[in-house]
Amino acid sequence: MDKEIIRDADRICNHIFDLLGSGDIELGPSLPWHEDFKTGFRWENKFYKWIKIVDLDNAADVKVPWELSRFQHFFTLGKAYWLTNDEKYAYEFRSEIEDWIMRNPVEMSINWTCAMDVAIRAVNWISVIPFFMHSPSIPKFFWENLHASLYLHGVFVRANLENTGEHTGNHYTANLAGLVALGLYFEGFRILQGQSSGSDPAEWLAFGKEQLEKEMFVQSNEDGSNYEASTSYHRLVAEMFMVTTMWCSRNGLHFSDGFIKRLEKMHEFMLRIMKPDGSTPMIGDADDGRYLIVSHYGNWVRNDFRHLLAIAGEFFDRDDFRSAGLCCWEDALWMTGGFKPVSVQMHDDRTSVAFPDGGYYVLRSPEAYCLIRCGELSFHGHGAHSHNDQLSFELNVKGLDFIVDPGTCVYSGDYHLRNLFRSTAMHNTLRIGGREQNDFDEKELFLMREQTFAVCEGFTDHEFTGKHQGYLGKLGITHKRNYKLHGSVMQIDDLLLDASGMEVRKHFTAAFMLAAGVRPVRREKGWLLQHEDVTVTLLLDDTVKSEIQLSWLSNQYGVRTSTRMLVVTGFNSSLRTTIRWD
């Protein structure tokens, strides 16, 4: 582990970064704070409200300079300095901050256009100060300049809260978490009378904590899921709530019992939807968003949420969380100060579970895992981070993925890809009459008004039934789907119903996105799907046609890899798909 930390820190000192799918790039002696270095596009420094952050007519992605300026690589520098006392790491810390402050005057660059990123940057600076505060390479005037910049970060966030839209979400959570962190950091700092509103750190702390208490019950559902309808944004919001709660607790500040119980439920959600291999389905949008990256900076896995379970195991003193997060003990060590050995090795959870508020249903058997998406779009139907994935599913057999969600790939950098990856055709469900489940405008990247209104009609340990109305207003059709999981067989039955509930024939396409490494082989009545040493047989009705098409998967933001999709077409009122394994 020490070697990995040193290796990652040395890469940072050499300005080698891999951000948002860029691959390893040496960025040169002066970091390109204002540039999408993937495309070479550069934003000019000017007043932040005058900067056009998104232009869909070019391929520039504003998330690239934002990501670099979050400074989430700093914790790795701090660990390397702690391990080695090598002043080169302290010098890199100092030089990057001095360069950033000089080239990003307050309110005058692309890195002041999103209060969320301003807050995350401040938190990452604060988190590493203890590593470097006694470095002989860092003079007193540096700390004075850093403190002044941190204070101005707080003033900016307080004046630019991202709570003016239809709904609050992860951006507002980051604003509030940043204000709490800055309020704690400047504890005892007093503002003279006559200063402008929003300039008092004590007020930041009180306001941030009060609002976070409220936002917990706005953004997290009663069943522990997040209302942005994205597993990745659930992880990000849970991380921000958890870190803030721990920092407050250490300073004698506490949230309500209801808040703490809901935070625990958020982690129970992550535990219960986790696959046998420890990964989590990437349902809805995913942009690689993190708050603090305290381990494996260079190679953290985007669909592995176990680092949060390791931390939660210590905070809530729960062995099931600890057991699930055992591989991520370093995160618990840095965030909580220790990692208690698991007293009893917890067995794998093989029970089915429903999260109806969030729209996630998991069927489990001793050998199979099937997650089904059926529920409200994000932000109560706004659809900002939702995909057209109603009644879609993921299937894992004997610890191996066979059918998966395609992921997200990109946002504004390529709106065509953005729309492809959130489309019905890319998900493991039915597309009827060539239409989308929920219509969206191709250039409204974060709006998809709900038309599906999906509901679960029945759920047991072995069966799920649900339907959605996405085609009702367009084609007069409701799509109903039933899953049965018994032993080594999963059966999927699709029905097309008219407004009166009668079956109606219509042209449809059913998609099955194959996981990387799955090899399809045609058979008389279907397909063999082979993955390593496991073979799954997928059987279809005689009345349909099927073929393998090339498609894409995205396991992290900005990256797409080729895969295969099994596409089934037919003209009927029903489709039965039977999946078997030995």
Side-chain angles (χ1 to χ4, degrees):
M1 180 178 296
D2 290 359
K3 290 181 179 179
E4 178 187 312
I5 293 169
I6 300 303
R7 183 191 69 234
D8 287 347
D10 287 345
R11 284 165 52 87
I12 293 165
C13 290
N14 291 324
H15 293 177
I16 299 172
F17 287 88
D18 179 2
L19 296 178
L20 302 178
S22 68
D24 288 344
I25 294 182
E26 188 172 347
L27 297 179
S30 182
L31 289 172
W33 302 117
H34 314 127
E35 184 179 323
D36 173 2
F37 55 77
K38 294 167 65 176
T39 64
F41 184 87
R42 186 181 183 278
W43 285 264
E44 294 183 7
N45 273 18
K46 54 186 175 181
F47 185 55
Y48 73 108
K49 291 185 178 181
W50 298 347
I51 297 174
K52 186 177 183 179
I53 63 175
V54 173
D55 181 354
L56 296 183
D57 293 328
N58 68 38
D61 191 341
V62 71
K63 287 182 62 62
V64 176
W66 285 352
E67 193 78 9
L68 181 62
S69 288
R70 286 183 174 186
F71 286 87
Q72 291 176 323
H73 56 282
F74 262 13
F75 206 91
T76 297
L77 278 183
K79 291 192 297 181
Y81 184 62
W82 179 74
L83 287 169
T84 66
N85 286 318
D86 190 331
E87 290 299 317
K88 73 176 182 180
Y89 301 118
Y91 177 79
E92 181 65 23
F93 162 74
R94 172 189 171 185
S95 62
E96 282 193 32
I97 286 185
E98 288 179 333
D99 186 56
W100 191 94
I101 292 174
M102 179 182 68
R103 295 170 58 202
N104 292 271
V106 178
E107 299 187 344
M108 292 296 294
S109 82
I110 190 65
N111 293 307
W112 292 98
T113 55
C114 178
M116 175 183 195
D117 288 87
V118 176
I120 291 176
R121 176 167 57 252
V123 167
N124 277 271
W125 285 3
I126 288 171
S127 71
V128 298
I129 287 173
F131 287 119
F132 298 110
M133 61 189 305
H134 299 300
S135 166
S137 300
I138 301 178
K140 181 180 179 181
F141 71 81
F142 168 84
W143 295 114
E144 293 172 348
N145 290 337
L146 175 59
H147 293 155
S149 183
L150 279 171
Y151 176 75
L152 293 173
H153 276 62
V155 173
F156 181 90
V157 173
R158 185 65 180 89
N160 291 273
L161 296 172
E162 295 170 277
N163 62 349
T164 58
E166 291 182 48
H167 303 281
T168 53
N170 64 87
H171 279 244
Y172 189 48
T173 305
N175 302 162
L176 299 173
L179 288 175
V180 169
L182 286 159
L184 291 170
Y185 185 74
F186 286 108
E187 185 181 13
F189 183 76
R190 294 292 177 261
I191 300 297
L192 297 176
Q193 290 183 350
Q195 294 294 314
S196 61
S197 174
S199 61
D200 186 354
E203 190 273 340
W204 302 345
L205 175 58
F207 174 82
K209 183 175 179 296
E210 176 190 29
Q211 288 295 304
L212 278 176
E213 176 79 35
K214 295 178 180 177
E215 287 301 308
M216 171 62 81
F217 302 99
V218 171
Q219 297 185 38
S220 69
N221 298 313
E222 190 173 348
D223 62 11
S225 58
N226 178 271
Y227 89 146
E228 294 194 62
S230 155
T231 53
S232 294
Y233 281 104
H234 177 106
R235 175 197 64 204
L236 173 60
V237 171
E239 182 183 6
M240 292 189 289
F241 276 132
M242 175 60 82
V243 172
T244 306
T245 300
M246 290 190 298
W247 285 4
C248 283
S249 179
R250 290 175 195 163
N251 286 274
L253 300 174
H254 303 284
F255 291 93
S256 69
D257 290 345
F259 178 102
I260 298 299
K261 289 178 182 177
R262 186 64 61 90
L263 181 61
E264 187 172 9
K265 276 187 169 292
M266 292 185 75
H267 289 80
E268 288 175 353
F269 170 80
M270 288 185 278
L271 178 69
R272 298 298 302 278
I273 69 165
M274 190 171 66
K275 299 180 190 177
D277 64 359
S279 66
T280 296
M282 304 282 274
I283 305 301
D285 276 350
D287 71 345
D288 294 3
R290 291 285 302 276
Y291 192 50
L292 286 170
I293 303 176
V294 302
S295 74
H296 306 293
Y297 172 75
N299 61 350
W300 69 277
V301 179
R302 274 60 176 172
N303 65 342
D304 190 342
F305 300 178
R306 288 177 290 181
H307 59 284
L308 288 181
L309 292 175
I311 296 167
E314 301 311 305
F315 184 79
F316 294 110
D317 193 20
R318 284 184 52 162
D319 280 350
D320 54 348
F321 289 167
R322 287 192 185 99
S323 182
L326 186 62
C327 61
C328 302
W329 61 268
E330 186 190 352
D331 291 80
L333 178 65
W334 286 112
M335 297 304 299
T336 71
F339 188 80
K340 179 181 175 182
V342 180
S343 57
V344 178
Q345 187 66 35
M346 309 297 290
H347 62 81
D348 289 340
D349 187 354
R350 303 288 179 173
T351 57
S352 299
V353 63
F355 294 93
D357 297 333
Y360 306 94
Y361 298 83
V362 179
L363 296 175
R364 291 182 185 264
S365 72
E367 294 183 330
Y369 165 105
C370 175
L371 181 138
I372 302 156
R373 171 79 177 114
C374 177
E376 188 178 61
L377 268 59
S378 64
F379 295 135
H380 299 314
H382 180 279
H385 289 304
S386 291
H387 294 180
N388 276 333
D389 57 5
Q390 296 300 328
L391 305 183
S392 183
F393 72 106
E394 286 210 7
L395 179 65
N396 181 290
V397 177
K398 298 182 179 179
L400 295 173
D401 283 336
F402 278 85
I403 298 170
V404 295
D405 187 274
T408 296
C409 189
V410 72
Y411 289 162
S412 62
D414 187 331
Y415 72 90
H416 298 292
L417 279 178
R418 162 65 169 160
N419 292 329
L420 174 66
F421 274 83
R422 63 173 172 163
S423 69
T424 309
M426 289 287 280
H427 291 86
N428 307 308
T429 186
L430 257 59
R431 188 181 187 195
I432 302 174
R435 303 294 296 271
E436 291 287 352
Q437 290 184 343
N438 299 282
D439 295 326
F440 54 81
D441 186 284
E442 66 175 3
K443 293 190 176 182
E444 289 282 356
L445 304 188
F446 299 100
L447 177 63
M448 188 166 65
R449 295 291 186 188
E450 183 149 20
Q451 297 169 317
T452 41
F453 300 102
V455 294
C456 170
E457 294 190 319
F459 180 80
T460 68
D461 287 345
H462 305 287
E463 187 172 358
F464 165 90
T465 303
K467 65 180 181 181
H468 76 80
Q469 303 176 26
Y471 304 113
L472 187 59
K474 306 158 195 172
L475 302 169
I477 292 172
T478 295
H479 176 205
K480 186 173 183 177
R481 175 171 270 193
N482 174 267
Y483 292 84
K484 291 188 179 73
L485 177 62
H486 286 285
S488 58
V489 178
M490 187 171 78
Q491 182 174 293
I492 306 171
D493 285 298
D494 290 294
L495 284 177
L496 308 185
L497 306 173
D498 65 17
S500 67
M502 299 295 292
E503 293 187 24
V504 56
R505 292 164 59 87
K506 195 71 178 180
H507 181 270
F508 63 80
T509 301
F512 301 90
M513 183 70 73
L514 303 182
V518 174
R519 302 179 303 279
V521 179
R522 186 183 286 277
R523 286 293 183 261
E524 182 180 353
K525 293 187 177 182
W527 297 82
L528 293 182
L529 306 179
Q530 299 171 334
H531 192 181
E532 296 183 10
D533 59 347
V534 179
T535 299
V536 164
T537 303
L538 190 148
L539 302 174
L540 297 162
D541 298 341
D542 294 335
T543 58
V544 299
K545 296 180 181 180
S546 62
E547 63 177 357
I548 296 296
Q549 298 180 0
L550 293 179
S551 192
W552 300 102
L553 291 176
S554 177
N555 294 321
Q556 65 182 84
Y557 187 90
V559 175
R560 56 176 173 156
T561 56
S562 60
T563 190
R564 297 178 176 89
M565 175 190 285
L566 172 59
V567 179
V568 179
T569 57
F571 183 87
N572 212 329
S573 63
S574 64
L575 171 69
R576 171 166 289 180
T577 306
T578 304
I579 303 175
R580 303 177 182 273
W581 51 92
D582 297 330

